[in-house]
Amino acid sequence: MSKTLKQIQEIAGAIKNPFLEKAIAQNKPVVGYFCSYVPEEILHAAGFVPYRMRAVGSTGTARGDTYFTAVNCSFVRRCFDQVLNGEYDFLAGAVVLNGCDHSRRIYDNWRDAKKSGLPAPEHLFMLVAPHVLRDSALARYEKELEKIIQGLENACGTKISPKALKDSFALYQKRQELVEKLYALRRQDIPAITGAEMLSVLMAITAVPVEDAISLLTKLVAEVEGRRAASADDIRLMLVGGCMEEPEHIALIEENPAVVVADSLCYGARMLRPPQENEPDEPVAALARRYLYHPSCPRMINDFERRKDAIFNAFRESGADAIIAEKLMFCDLWGGEIFLLRKEAKERGIPFLGLEREMYGGGEGQIRTRVQAFIEQVQNARARNGQGGKKVV
Amino acid sequence: MIAAGCDVGSLTAEAVILKDGRICASRIIGVRATAALSARQVMEEALSDAGLCFDDIDLCFSTGYGRYSIDFAKKNISEISCHGLGAFTVNPAIRTVVDIGGQDCKVIAVDETGMVSDFAMNDKCAAGTGRCLEILAKALGVELGQLGALSQKARRPVSITNKCSIFMEMEVLYSMYAGKKIADIAFGINQAVAKRLATLAKGMKIREKVAITGGVSKNSGVVNELEKLLEIKFTPLAVDPQIVGALGAAVFAHNELAGAGGSQQQLAAG
Amino acid sequence: MSEAAIEEYGMSKKALRLLKAARPLYKYPNAVYWLRKLLGDPLLLKETNWNKDYRFAYLLTGGTSLSPEDNRAVGILLEDLYQYLEAYVNPSGPKKPMIWSEWNLSNEILRVFDVNAYIPETLAVLGHLGGTDAAVKIIEEAENAGLPPEYCSAAKCAVGGYLLNESPKPDAIITSSHPCDSVVSSYQALEKLTGAPMFVMDTPYWKDEDSYLYYADQLYELIGFLEKVTGQKMDWEKLKQVCRTVNATNAHLQEISEMCRAVPAPASSLHLLFHWLGRMACFGSPAGEQYAKIMHANAKKRFEQGKGYLKEEKVRVIWYDVPVVFEILHPWMEKEFGAVVVADFIGRIEQFQIDTSTTESMIRDLAKTHMSVTMARQTHGPAEFYTQELKRLIEEYSPDCFIFVRHQGCKGGWAAMKLIREQCQKTGLPALFLNTDIFDRRVVSSHRIREQVTNFFRSNNLA
């Protein structure tokens, strides 16, 4: 295995990592954030290390369940449990987003926890993103970003200069270009990196300073180019869904003769934003446009057509054979999305499997059975259509 | 040529032995402490019935939830594929298989070669499975095997509406305290389980002929209700429906030995 | 499937038949009062095969609780409901555009256009007319089609109703991003299923002038959308008139809400929940205003006389989050325990008056009223919108206890449970947290709900 990949997997497997600890030791404040609608560039330009919040290492929800309930999302419960366990004590601040009914309450519950003397960062912000794509919504989102900028400036005691923003844009654009290179390597006839590995990469690069992320990615791209991470007979899968941060879950899928070559996931292709405009006169306006119009998730009510097109374009471009769509239990947004995507997939004759699970929730036996049966089904279809490859036996 | 299939589930384990494509033995046992133990025991018993031993097996495939733990199986295949091929092997006219097992229920569509073309499985919990029937039969104070026959005597069936097995159990108890007849409650139990599977089935295109497999296929109450809800008549299988999964695994093994690449295995009588 | 629901608009036709029978009776509100007294209790008890077609309607219109004066008001509202249903079940005259509007939106603007308005969640209420199992069948239709079971049952009824041909085909849909993810998600499904163009109000998260202006801007966009899909032009004078009607209606209803602070309460939230039937029939109607006026006058009379709505008010309940619609408990609680719901989540009104002096002020204030509609005002933002309102209710309404319904579809409410529970705990008053569903009787049975409420009252010496 590539040395850098191993390092990346270690970073992805824990909340803290050596790069983050080094930054903390250098008194660089860290700001946690939820969701791809929070512009990392702003946090970085303000002098913070942006850190995407996760539930990694969660062993339960005992503390999280003092605020949330069994009917709430397992990601939110577990992540908040980690918060209350003190695992996020290193945060100077956090930006919560109104992603969904579960995650937006993190802001409310965390403020309450803070009042009760429970672990909480000094600065807590709520960023409100619209649920629609429209000019009026864009203007509104821009105003919300201005509020966050104001809050961050108050927190760090300095103004965010246009130059600082421009420098941050350049760094994050570089990071994205490297990620896009890896995505291209996934699309090859023999992918150079598996789906499980890719998830580790995306988790790792959002847990370290962007400069370190660029360094890791640069090394990784060099190390995996030319690598054969799958076999020609493997069923090529596209993975679609919301919160997923367990590489071991994707590895379970890829235990079968299958490899994930494309995705639309929170830690995935939906992190890839349209290119930042060069020399923008109004950097915040340009940033707002870029973030609001990035590949959306089902929280965006009037964007299903564009979202669907992006998914099926990625499916086609990656040469995928089938789609596995996943949701966490009690997620209305992805439940409805899977309902719609299943219809679209059926119309296109694309094999489609919907899975539901709890984050770190076990149930591997059930998932294994479903995925294995689905792969067998796709293999049969391939053989029937004369596409080569083996049937089940 | 001896091919074998072993199916280890949550409640029972089955083994089927094919000799030159003919079933020469099959066995069903209740599961033991571990999947490996269950597999070994059921296969030993089947081999003994056939006058064979482990060394005689040319190839064995496994299926069921315990399939990974079966060390004498060369390969494991999902129970969806195995139930599909197993039912098809017994009757090549079968195009849909409904299976209600110990801890899950599924609807399987197979093509004209017996290979899976689509399937649906319960996602949530035990409701609609053999485990659910077990819990509710116990609450009712009857043996699991009695539920089917009892429900035939129902005159004023009780409706059990909750979606969760735990709360269904409470509904059964309430009905008993309210003085409802056991037969009426048994009917409600069977109907509730059938409804869960019917919901699953409605998401798929059901093509005739339809077979029902798994232990719950022996519960006439569930079977009758399912036929009503799905508006179909199940085609009986010439083998014990509980061994269909193991049979499918054995057929897959046979086909690999024969180099047929998954083509239809015509099961010889007997 | 119950017989009523096999045909197109089966449930709505059933509702029309019931309304047709009830309308002439309501001309004689005293007769209605005495008839209910005679029929009374058997219909309050559990659902049976012989009463299930009528029981829900009976309880929905107040059971034996309402006085003759209040019955007069309900009769007026039922007329409105009748017209609303007739418009799509038995349309007459030139065909009008059919506009769907999500149930938590305020429909003053729609009322101005010459359209038929329909609320898809109508089936969540009317679906119970065939008994609670009829509503379940509508819900199951949505689940069988692949909608997630964890959706709010109102959303499932909206989709299930459409799939069962219970809902008229829309020419356009209006929805919003409040109150919850179920709406955000289900309306995307409805848009796809119906193929109708959809306009979405993006509800701001905060309550400040900026937010109201943002919402107001979208109201202008909504008007543009409606003009485009209907081919009609906005009649600003008519909108002014509708807004004045809304102002009068809200003023009456709000005062009823405020009067319930008195001990004994001269009204109950049951009176205010009725007006939600009026919401289904398009808010801002003259009948809605008339209903509110009469209810207000009745309540005021009792208030001035120091009389309670109940002969003997024994327990004052704050009922938070949604009512249990499949088992309307208010008439039973009132009769059995003398328990009156003095303040609740859905019925209680807290509203702005709309300044109709200019178009700008009118649209701005419409934005404010939209964001203050019950359920919208508590759910569109941070948990404080829930808890601060609850705190005020506790301070002002002299409660004896709380009943909090944990509707399984309400994830945002569940996620704020600790904060809400603490508000109750601070008072030292008993609180019952009922795990149930608002429309789906499969989650917890009626029997079990009544059992929990009974045990709660008894074990806390409230009965």
Side-chain angles (χ1 to χ4, degrees):
Chain A
M1 177 186 284
S2 129
K3 188 175 129 198
T4 308
L5 191 53
K6 195 163 186 306
Q7 190 182 19
I8 279 171
Q9 285 173 336
E10 281 164 11
I11 295 170
I15 287 182
K16 272 180 165 172
N17 57 76
F19 296 100
L20 188 70
E21 277 161 345
K22 185 175 165 197
I24 293 168
Q26 291 169 345
N27 289 322
K28 289 185 185 162
V30 183
V31 167
Y33 68 93
F34 293 87
C35 194
S36 57
Y37 283 89
V38 177
E40 296 172 271
E41 290 88 335
I42 288 178
L43 306 181
H44 183 266
F48 295 102
V49 175
Y51 180 100
R52 187 151 179 181
M53 300 292 288
R54 59 206 61 200
V56 160
S58 162
T59 53
T61 55
R63 283 205 162 102
D65 286 350
T66 58
Y67 279 92
F68 292 93
T69 67
V71 172
N72 290 122
C73 163
S74 46
F75 164 68
V76 162
R77 288 162 65 202
R78 285 183 178 273
C79 188
F80 201 63
D81 188 76
Q82 294 286 61
V83 161
L84 295 181
N85 286 337
E87 297 292 337
Y88 281 102
D89 278 354
F90 57 88
L91 291 177
V95 181
V96 187
L97 189 106
N98 61 327
C100 65
D101 284 342
H102 310 265
S103 62
R104 66 183 173 117
R105 292 285 180 236
I106 292 176
Y107 179 64
D108 303 324
N109 289 330
W110 214 343
R111 284 181 297 131
D112 184 79
K114 191 173 179 179
K115 272 190 251 164
S116 310
L118 292 169
E122 192 183 340
H123 308 286
L124 268 173
F125 305 102
M126 180 69 169
L127 174 60
V128 177
H131 283 278
V132 297
L133 295 183
R134 274 204 291 261
D135 289 345
S136 54
L138 179 60
R140 178 76 179 174
Y141 181 54
E142 204 183 309
K143 276 191 182 163
E144 287 287 328
L145 289 182
E146 300 275 6
K147 273 196 224 167
I148 293 292
I149 288 171
Q150 183 73 60
L152 290 169
E153 286 174 343
N154 292 342
C156 68
T158 51
K159 275 208 129 348
I160 300 174
S161 67
K163 182 180 181 308
L165 262 179
K166 195 177 159 192
D167 291 344
S168 298
F169 292 162
L171 284 170
Y172 278 91
Q173 186 58 38
K174 179 72 189 159
R175 189 188 79 174
Q176 178 159 316
E177 282 164 13
L178 289 163
V179 170
E180 284 167 349
K181 276 198 178 145
L182 287 172
Y183 266 76
L185 291 172
R186 290 174 89 180
R187 289 193 289 269
Q188 290 174 165
D189 286 349
I190 307 288
I193 184 166
T194 67
E197 291 164 348
M198 194 68 220
L199 178 58
S200 292
V201 170
L202 295 170
M203 288 187 66
I205 62 170
T206 50
V208 302
V210 64
E211 297 82 357
D212 296 313
I214 290 168
S215 165
L216 284 168
L217 285 168
T218 308
K219 286 186 214 153
L220 181 66
V221 168
E223 284 170 25
V224 301
E225 250 164 355
R227 184 175 178 246
R228 294 172 71 89
S231 117
D233 286 340
D234 284 348
I235 297 293
R236 296 168 71 90
L237 295 171
M238 180 169 187
L239 208 49
V240 175
C243 289
M244 185 184 298
E245 53 167 75
E246 307 107 295
E248 57 272 19
H249 171 71
I250 303 185
L252 190 154
I253 293 172
E254 292 176 319
E255 263 175 19
N256 294 281
V259 60
V260 177
V261 297
D263 72 74
S264 172
L265 295 170
C266 289
Y267 270 118
R270 290 204 300 279
M271 284 171 57
L272 302 174
R273 268 78 73 163
Q276 183 64 36
E277 292 159 19
N278 286 328
E279 308 294 333
D281 291 330
E282 294 176 11
V284 177
L287 197 67
R289 197 160 36 247
R290 190 167 166 242
Y291 269 81
L292 191 62
Y293 283 86
H294 85 291
S296 71
C297 80
R299 72 178 295 282
M300 302 304 278
I301 307 176
N302 66 343
D303 200 31
F304 176 73
E305 291 299 312
R306 196 180 68 115
R307 197 158 66 230
K308 167 206 83 181
D309 288 344
I311 286 171
F312 290 110
N313 284 343
F315 178 88
R316 198 183 51 249
E317 283 161 9
S318 62
D321 298 306
I323 294 175
I324 294 181
E326 301 218 11
K327 70 180 272 290
L328 295 178
M329 284 181 78
F330 309 113
C331 180
D332 288 355
L333 297 177
W334 277 99
E337 186 82 347
I338 287 176
F339 167 74
L340 290 172
L341 286 176
R342 193 189 298 274
K343 284 185 180 304
E344 297 286 339
K346 195 171 178 181
E347 278 168 27
R348 290 162 173 75
I350 295 173
F352 186 95
L353 174 71
L355 286 181
E356 182 181 65
R357 63 196 187 87
E358 297 256 46
M359 189 171 272
Y360 303 110
E364 286 94 8
Q366 285 192 326
I367 292 169
R368 262 203 180 92
T369 298
R370 282 156 181 75
V371 173
Q372 184 179 9
F374 181 64
I375 300 297
E376 289 164 1
Q377 175 191 324
V378 176
Q379 285 173 320
N380 296 337
R382 237 183 174 184
R384 242 190 340 263
N385 298 335
Q387 286 169 278
K390 290 184 188 166
K391 280 178 78 170
V392 175
V393 178
Chain B
M1 193 161 69
I2 306 289
C6 190
D7 179 356
V8 178
S10 57
L11 292 178
T12 58
E14 295 80 34
V16 166
I17 300 174
L18 299 179
K19 186 173 181 181
D20 298 326
R22 300 168 78 96
I23 299 178
C24 63
S26 68
R27 272 278 185 153
I28 306 169
I29 63 168
V31 289
R32 300 296 179 259
T34 66
L37 272 174
S38 305
R40 194 148 280 274
Q41 180 171 338
V42 73
M43 188 56 73
E44 273 171 1
E45 290 183 14
L47 285 165
S48 170
D49 290 345
L52 297 166
C53 63
F54 270 100
D55 288 342
D56 294 322
I57 300 175
D58 292 307
L59 189 61
C60 176
F61 285 173
S62 64
T63 189
Y65 276 100
R67 63 190 180 280
Y68 295 97
S69 314
I70 303 173
D71 53 11
F72 53 84
K74 187 181 173 202
K75 185 187 254 186
N76 70 76
I77 300 175
S78 74
E79 55 264 44
I80 286 105
S81 290
C82 289
H83 276 266
L85 184 60
F88 177 85
T89 299
V90 176
N91 184 343
I94 298 292
R95 290 292 177 270
T96 309
V97 180
V98 165
D99 177 66
I100 310 181
Q103 61 172 344
D104 61 37
C105 54
K106 37 198 175 287
V107 181
I108 304 161
V110 296
D111 63 19
E112 59 286 348
T113 66
M115 295 292 115
V116 171
S117 57
D118 197 7
F119 72 94
M121 274 181 89
N122 67 314
D123 269 324
K124 303 287 179 204
C125 58
T129 69
R131 180 71 69 193
C132 175
L133 286 170
E134 208 180 21
I135 292 168
L136 299 182
K138 191 173 174 191
L140 196 57
V142 304
E143 292 296 318
L144 180 59
Q146 290 176 281
L147 274 178
L150 261 176
S151 68
Q152 308 299 334
K153 298 177 190 162
R155 292 286 169 266
R156 296 157 77 110
V158 165
S159 185
I160 293 177
T161 57
N162 212 291
K163 296 182 283 190
C164 168
S165 310
I166 310 294
F167 292 111
M168 284 162 84
E169 190 182 0
M170 284 175 65
E171 279 191 74
V172 166
L173 291 171
Y174 276 129
S175 297
M176 287 169 69
Y177 298 153
K180 302 287 180 192
K181 300 236 180 313
I182 303 284
D184 295 338
I185 303 173
F187 186 98
I189 290 171
N190 289 333
Q191 187 184 54
V193 168
K195 274 185 86 168
R196 290 289 288 173
L197 193 114
T199 301
L200 207 59
K202 277 175 184 166
M204 280 179 58
K205 197 172 157 62
I206 307 277
R207 287 168 60 210
E208 304 261 10
K209 303 260 194 244
V210 188
I212 182 164
T213 63
V216 178
S217 61
K218 295 172 181 174
N219 179 324
S220 55
V222 173
V223 172
N224 292 344
E225 270 309 292
L226 259 178
E227 286 180 332
K228 262 192 245 162
L229 289 166
L230 298 178
E231 294 171 0
I232 49 119
K233 211 93 188 97
F234 288 116
T235 300
L237 295 173
V239 300
D240 185 328
Q242 246 180 307
I243 68 161
V244 168
L247 172 61
V251 172
F252 274 120
H254 172 89
N255 289 346
E256 176 150 312
L257 283 172
S263 61
Q264 179 183 330
Q265 165 61 35
Q266 196 68 42
L267 186 70
Chain C
M1 180 63 58
S2 73
E3 261 185 52
I6 293 172
E7 52 180 327
E8 190 183 44
Y9 306 143
M11 284 296 161
S12 303
K13 284 179 179 168
K14 183 174 202 136
L16 275 173
R17 285 195 292 273
L18 284 168
L19 283 167
K20 227 176 188 167
R23 278 160 93 202
L25 287 176
Y26 270 90
K27 288 193 170 84
Y28 308 100
N30 278 322
V32 170
Y33 175 76
W34 287 110
L35 193 60
R36 282 175 183 265
K37 282 265 188 231
L38 276 170
L39 287 172
D41 289 351
L43 278 171
L44 280 179
L45 295 173
K46 60 178 188 171
E47 183 181 72
T48 63
N49 278 335
W50 75 264
N51 76 7
K52 69 178 184 179
D53 279 358
Y54 305 99
R55 181 173 177 267
F56 179 74
Y58 180 83
L59 289 172
L60 187 64
T61 49
T64 54
S65 297
L66 294 190
S67 64
E69 306 83 41
D70 291 335
N71 276 326
R72 192 159 72 89
V74 171
I76 291 167
L77 208 64
L78 294 182
E79 279 293 329
D80 230 21
L81 187 58
Y82 184 84
Q83 299 307 327
Y84 165 78
L85 295 169
E86 273 278 284
Y88 65 89
V89 176
N90 300 311
S92 59
K95 189 173 181 300
K96 293 187 196 178
M98 172 56 70
I99 312 292
W100 280 13
S101 178
E102 186 245 318
W103 80 291
N104 207 207
L105 284 175
S106 215
N107 286 315
E108 301 85 348
I109 287 172
L110 261 191
R111 183 160 280 282
V112 170
F113 287 84
D114 191 19
V115 299
N116 286 324
Y118 177 76
I119 295 181
E121 291 82 0
T122 298
L123 267 305
V125 177
L126 294 188
H128 290 84
L129 287 176
T132 52
D133 55 350
V136 165
K137 286 184 164 58
I138 296 172
I139 292 168
E140 280 179 342
E141 186 69 20
E143 291 176 350
N144 290 345
L147 272 293
E150 57 255 64
Y151 262 9
C152 171
S153 43
K156 287 189 273 186
C157 285
V159 177
Y162 178 73
L163 294 173
L164 287 169
N165 286 330
E166 288 280 353
S167 299
K169 307 279 178 289
D171 294 304
I173 303 174
I174 311 171
T175 186
S176 69
S177 59
H178 73 268
C180 61
D181 290 346
S182 282
V183 162
V184 165
S185 184
S186 63
Y187 271 80
Q188 293 182 68
L190 285 170
E191 183 188 22
K192 197 73 184 164
L193 287 170
T194 63
M198 187 163 84
F199 186 87
V200 184
M201 300 295 295
D202 178 43
T203 315
Y205 207 71
W206 314 111
K207 279 194 218 297
D208 53 30
E209 276 310 306
D210 219 20
S211 299
Y212 295 135
L213 286 173
Y214 174 55
Y215 198 96
D217 283 344
Q218 292 180 85
L219 286 176
Y220 285 110
E221 292 183 64
L222 169 64
I223 290 167
F225 171 80
L226 287 171
E227 286 180 335
K228 189 170 167 205
V229 299
T230 63
Q232 300 168 25
K233 275 286 176 224
M234 180 60 174
D235 183 339
W236 294 100
E237 278 310 309
K238 197 170 173 192
L239 180 62
K240 262 191 202 168
Q241 193 46 56
V242 171
C243 288
R244 285 176 190 145
T245 306
V246 165
N247 279 346
T249 309
N250 279 339
H252 291 312
L253 294 176
Q254 181 145 347
E255 210 168 81
I256 297 175
S257 304
E258 299 300 328
M259 282 192 275
C260 286
R261 290 187 282 175
V263 181
S268 98
S269 72
L270 192 61
H271 299 86
L272 299 166
L273 282 174
F274 293 139
H275 92 279
W276 275 94
L277 287 179
R279 293 200 84 82
M280 288 203 305
C282 240
F283 194 53
S285 71
E289 183 190 345
Q290 188 66 0
Y291 162 84
K293 195 171 171 186
I294 297 172
M295 284 296 209
H296 173 265
N298 296 340
K300 190 154 186 224
K301 191 171 166 193
R302 290 189 286 263
F303 172 75
E304 282 165 352
Q305 291 169 348
K307 278 189 191 169
Y309 152 66
L310 289 187
K311 269 216 178 78
E312 199 185 345
E313 179 184 285
K314 291 182 188 164
V315 187
R316 294 171 65 86
V317 181
I318 288 181
W319 184 294
Y320 221 52
D321 221 298
V322 297
V324 181
V325 173
F326 76 85
E327 180 68 20
I328 297 181
L329 292 166
H330 295 63
W332 168 74
M333 277 174 27
E334 287 163 4
K335 200 165 172 61
E336 191 75 15
F337 304 105
V340 60
V341 177
V342 298
D344 76 329
F345 186 83
I346 292 277
R348 226 183 120 263
I349 299 290
E350 271 184 30
Q351 264 300 2
F352 292 92
Q353 290 285 294
I354 302 165
D355 177 358
T356 58
S357 56
T358 68
T359 303
E360 289 70 31
S361 64
M362 185 166 57
I363 295 292
R364 181 206 62 219
D365 286 349
L366 263 179
K368 284 182 169 178
T369 59
H370 280 215
M371 286 168 63
S372 303
V373 161
T374 54
M375 185 169 276
R377 75 169 178 269
Q378 296 102 334
T379 61
H380 76 88
E384 278 85 346
F385 292 176
Y386 265 99
T387 57
Q388 279 170 4
E389 180 168 314
L390 179 59
K391 185 166 180 278
R392 263 187 297 111
L393 299 186
I394 292 168
E395 285 163 3
E396 294 173 10
Y397 282 79
S398 312
D400 296 310
C401 64
F402 309 99
I403 294 180
F404 197 96
V405 170
R406 298 200 285 196
H407 166 46
Q408 71 149 18
C410 183
K411 317 303 188 305
W414 282 91
M417 199 55 59
K418 180 208 186 257
L419 308 177
I420 291 164
R421 197 173 23 230
E422 273 178 353
Q423 284 295 333
C424 301
Q425 282 167 346
K426 275 181 207 166
T427 65
L429 294 173
L432 169 65
F433 286 85
L434 265 179
N435 289 351
T436 180
D437 188 280
I438 177 175
F439 299 113
D440 187 350
R441 65 108 196 251
R442 296 175 302 173
V443 175
V444 179
S445 68
S446 312
H447 166 83
R448 184 84 188 103
I449 289 173
R450 286 183 183 225
E451 196 180 60
Q452 287 183 69
V453 171
T454 301
N455 291 343
F456 170 68
F457 282 140
R458 286 185 183 156
S459 57
N460 287 288
N461 293 322
L462 296 168

